[in-house]
Amino acid sequence: MASLLFLSLIAVFLFSTLSSAARHHQHAPPHFAKPPLPKPSVTSVPPEIHIACKATRFPQQCETSLTKSNHLPPNPTSLQIIQLAMVVSAENLKTAQSMVKSILDASVGSQNRTTAAKNCLEVLRNSEYRISQTNDALPRGKNKDARAWMSAALLFQYDCWSGLKYANDTRMVNETMSFLDSLIGISSNALSMMVSYDNFGKDAGSWRPPMTERNGFWESSGSSDGSGFRGGFPSKLTADVTVCKDGGGGCYKTVQEAVNVAPDNAGTRRFGDGMGKTVITGSLNADTPGISTYNSATVGVLGDGFMANGLTFQNTAGPDAHQAVAFRSESDLSVIENCEFIGNQDTLYVHSLRQFYKSCRILGNVDFIFGNSASIFQDCKILVRPRQLRPEKGENNAITAHGRTDPAQSTGFVFQNCLINGTEEYMSLYHSKPKVHKNFLGRPWKEYSRTVFVHCFMEALVTPQGWLPWSGDFALKTLYYGELENSGPGSELSQRVPWSSQIPAEHVYSYSVQNFIQGDEWIPSSQLLAHQRKIT
């Protein structure tokens, strides 16, 4: 019998999770000015450092931070310079953790500041872990892995800064935010050099600052768009543990109990009886005191290599409850197939790292697919639901809100062979008064937002303009929103906003499963028979 699990007090966490006070419906103000650094004289900067730092967004900060490091070897190679940048990032991260700990110690009696500081310490620990992974990957030539992990490390540092801004009521918090802003710049520089090393090789003289498709730059790719990729959830798996609503017959009563018996909470695969049959549901939302968008998730996943099949994840907070996440993942190399995600605002939080969604249904209305991950959605149904308590009044819905903060981050949303439509209830509203029901493919949550649709079918509910600004002209010159060979009444390009793009056919391969998330290296063949721990 299918399981229906009600989780209304706390979100289910499949792995040890971090929580963040960051609320996602405000784009961040410009960073604080970098703390003044002594400008090194031209003769004091080793030429190798000077050349390499030209490939960063903040070259003076790069030169100063690397030159004053005690770890600088004589005549460093380009790889050693990147490794030195990682050391400097890790050292400054330790200082940031100490500063946040001081905030926590000084925040007795301030619930808001205490929560922000605790959350910040957790995300900084996660950043520390991803930096450590990056350091291990680079010498082994695992450049794409290193870039993915450092992109996440940078994101988590930004999450800490963003969370603290909601508790910036003391000089100590303000000073810590200023230091974090400097740390973000240092980590950005390390990532930028890493991207050049991967794209242009060991000769730092050929390196250049990070560029995006808006600059006319695409990374080299193969000759397949990836739409024929046949990997996914392994077939023919049998259950090791089972969850039943009554907990009888050898079943576990809750998903969390079943997860807890997995060794080190690692390598968990979860599958159910099918979408709409096995349902995991919760109702937390960001309007609840002490609850952020991040920890409103019904299910949150942190451990790498997570897989799920045949499940529905739902947040029932309602259309008037604002941010309410059904599923949140920062699991690298995760595979989700034949699953359903139901919510309203912020249904699916694809927070970070590399994720693959196949043959899924995603329902919501406001920014209901959002985050700063590198995620591919293949053969999925994206369905708009009625947004508010009086939906007949009309609305502006954005399907996606990608949150890339740095052009060097290897993140973005790719939709391949997907259907963009509305639920039956919503389409009835739409057809009754189409001029007031406007639906957009996405809007830029952060400055370098990136989202593309390839070979998708778009129904009439997609507005002719296609894409929605966030606020004024924010990010309109730096985002990349691309479309190629879509079909359906909503795919007509003649009235698209001028800051969106048509993907050149010769560059569509950049967004393949193989190139964008290196999926051919880690997504199992759909016929693979694997012996792994499973939960049904």
Side-chain angles (χ1 to χ4, degrees):
M1 182 176 180
S3 307
L4 183 63
L5 308 177
F6 293 91
L7 309 172
S8 59
L9 297 179
I10 60 173
V12 170
F13 296 102
L14 301 181
F15 304 91
S16 58
T17 62
L18 49 92
S19 62
S20 166
R23 300 287 295 272
H24 105 267
H25 273 239
Q26 298 181 25
H27 69 73
H31 283 172
F32 290 97
K34 298 289 186 294
L37 295 170
K39 186 174 181 178
S41 65
V42 175
T43 56
S44 69
V45 179
E48 300 91 346
I49 297 293
H50 180 69
I51 293 172
C53 285
K54 287 183 177 180
T56 69
R57 299 178 67 201
F58 313 108
Q60 181 182 331
Q61 183 192 32
C62 176
E63 291 182 1
T64 301
S65 62
L66 298 186
T67 301
K68 69 179 184 180
S69 172
N70 296 326
H71 304 283
L72 178 63
N75 303 314
T77 65
S78 55
L79 178 57
Q80 287 175 325
I81 291 172
I82 298 173
Q83 291 174 314
L84 174 61
M86 300 297 298
V87 169
V88 173
S89 175
E91 289 178 342
N92 280 268
L93 178 60
K94 289 290 187 183
T95 301
Q97 289 171 313
S98 178
M99 295 175 74
V100 176
K101 180 62 167 59
S102 296
I103 293 174
L104 180 61
D105 293 341
S107 297
V108 177
S110 174
Q111 181 180 6
N112 188 35
R113 206 179 325 120
T114 296
T115 299
K118 286 182 177 179
N119 292 338
C120 196
L121 287 172
E122 291 186 23
V123 294
L124 291 183
R125 281 194 294 269
N126 203 37
S127 181
E128 181 181 18
Y129 171 65
R130 294 302 179 182
I131 289 175
S132 175
Q133 280 189 304
T134 304
N135 274 324
D136 291 340
L138 277 173
R140 296 186 288 111
K142 299 289 187 179
N143 296 340
K144 293 295 191 293
D145 287 340
R147 290 174 57 184
W149 294 330
M150 193 61 197
S151 294
L154 179 59
L155 164 64
F156 293 130
Q157 293 168 17
Y158 180 89
D159 281 350
C160 177
W161 177 88
S162 182
L164 284 179
K165 75 182 178 184
Y166 295 100
N168 188 12
D169 57 356
T170 69
R171 179 177 178 179
M172 184 183 295
V173 174
N174 189 60
E175 290 176 348
T176 302
M177 290 182 67
S178 183
F179 186 85
L180 282 166
D181 194 60
S182 178
L183 168 62
I184 289 168
I186 290 169
S187 299
S188 169
N189 290 338
L191 179 59
S192 292
M193 289 188 285
M194 205 178 299
V195 171
S196 276
Y197 182 79
D198 185 32
N199 283 322
F200 307 118
K202 299 177 181 180
D203 179 11
S206 66
W207 294 1
R208 61 186 76 172
M211 296 179 293
T212 72
E213 298 92 333
R214 285 299 287 274
N215 308 118
F217 177 77
W218 277 265
E219 297 192 22
S220 60
S221 59
S223 58
S224 170
D225 65 4
S227 59
F229 185 81
R230 288 294 172 258
F233 193 89
S235 62
K236 302 179 181 179
L237 296 181
T238 57
D240 292 318
V241 293
T242 302
V243 178
C244 304
K245 188 161 61 174
D246 59 7
C251 292
Y252 290 91
K253 192 171 184 179
T254 69
V255 174
Q256 188 63 63
E257 289 177 357
V259 170
N260 289 342
V261 303
D264 299 322
N265 283 343
T268 302
R269 278 62 173 152
R270 174 188 284 192
F271 61 96
D273 296 330
M275 288 186 279
K277 297 180 179 179
T278 302
V279 182
I280 304 176
T281 185
S283 60
L284 290 178
N285 64 86
D287 292 339
T288 305
I291 299 297
S292 69
T293 299
Y294 185 94
N295 56 31
S296 70
T298 298
V299 170
V301 181
L302 180 60
D304 291 349
F306 175 79
M307 293 186 182
N309 184 280
L311 291 165
T312 291
F313 303 92
Q314 184 174 17
N315 191 309
T316 60
D320 60 332
H322 298 107
Q323 299 94 334
V325 176
F327 182 82
R328 187 204 71 244
S329 176
E330 46 262 80
S331 170
D332 195 23
L333 316 181
S334 57
V335 178
I336 316 292
E337 186 171 355
N338 295 318
C339 285
E340 183 178 48
F341 307 89
I342 302 176
N344 288 285
Q345 181 171 348
D346 294 0
T347 302
L348 178 58
Y349 193 175
V350 273
H351 186 216
S352 61
L353 296 155
R354 292 165 290 187
Q355 305 183 34
F356 180 61
Y357 293 79
K358 185 175 178 65
S359 302
C360 293
R361 283 167 44 95
I362 308 168
L363 286 73
N365 36 59
V366 182
D367 305 337
F368 62 98
I369 303 172
F370 76 107
N372 190 12
S373 64
S375 291
I376 289 184
F377 302 86
Q378 191 178 92
D379 305 326
C380 292
K381 294 181 179 179
I382 315 298
L383 304 176
V384 177
R385 303 177 73 195
R387 171 173 174 178
Q388 50 205 5
L389 296 180
R390 295 180 58 194
E392 68 277 0
K393 294 190 304 181
E395 70 288 308
N396 288 338
N397 292 322
I399 292 171
T400 68
H402 188 254
R404 185 167 61 158
T405 61
D406 192 289
Q409 287 176 314
S410 54
T411 61
F413 294 159
V414 177
F415 294 85
Q416 298 176 346
N417 304 325
C418 292
L419 168 67
I420 314 302
N421 200 1
T423 63
E424 184 176 348
E425 182 183 6
Y426 182 82
M427 292 309 293
S428 176
L429 287 165
Y430 172 81
H431 288 302
S432 69
K433 208 170 184 180
K435 290 186 178 180
V436 303
H437 299 286
K438 298 180 180 180
N439 298 277
F440 301 84
L441 299 174
R443 60 175 181 159
W445 178 21
K446 302 297 180 184
E447 190 173 3
Y448 295 93
S449 181
R450 175 164 59 174
T451 301
V452 301
F453 287 81
V454 179
H455 300 153
C456 294
F457 188 91
M458 301 179 182
E459 283 289 2
L461 78 166
V462 176
T463 185
Q465 291 73 32
W467 305 87
L468 181 69
W470 185 276
S471 177
D473 63 355
F474 171 75
L476 300 189
K477 294 181 179 180
T478 49
L479 60 76
Y480 185 74
Y481 288 162
E483 301 175 61
L484 179 69
E485 296 179 354
N486 298 302
S487 59
S491 67
E492 171 59 43
L493 298 173
S494 61
Q495 298 183 54
R496 288 294 196 254
V497 292
W499 36 269
S500 67
S501 303
Q502 297 183 45
I503 304 169
E506 65 269 26
H507 294 303
V508 69
Y509 309 129
S510 297
Y511 309 111
S512 68
V513 173
Q514 296 91 326
N515 287 315
F516 199 69
I517 58 174
Q518 300 78 56
D520 55 327
E521 299 178 8
W522 55 269
I523 298 175
S525 163
S526 58
Q527 300 303 314
L528 179 66
L529 180 59
H531 180 69
Q532 298 164 319
R533 190 166 192 84
K534 289 130 335 241
I535 298 173
T536 180

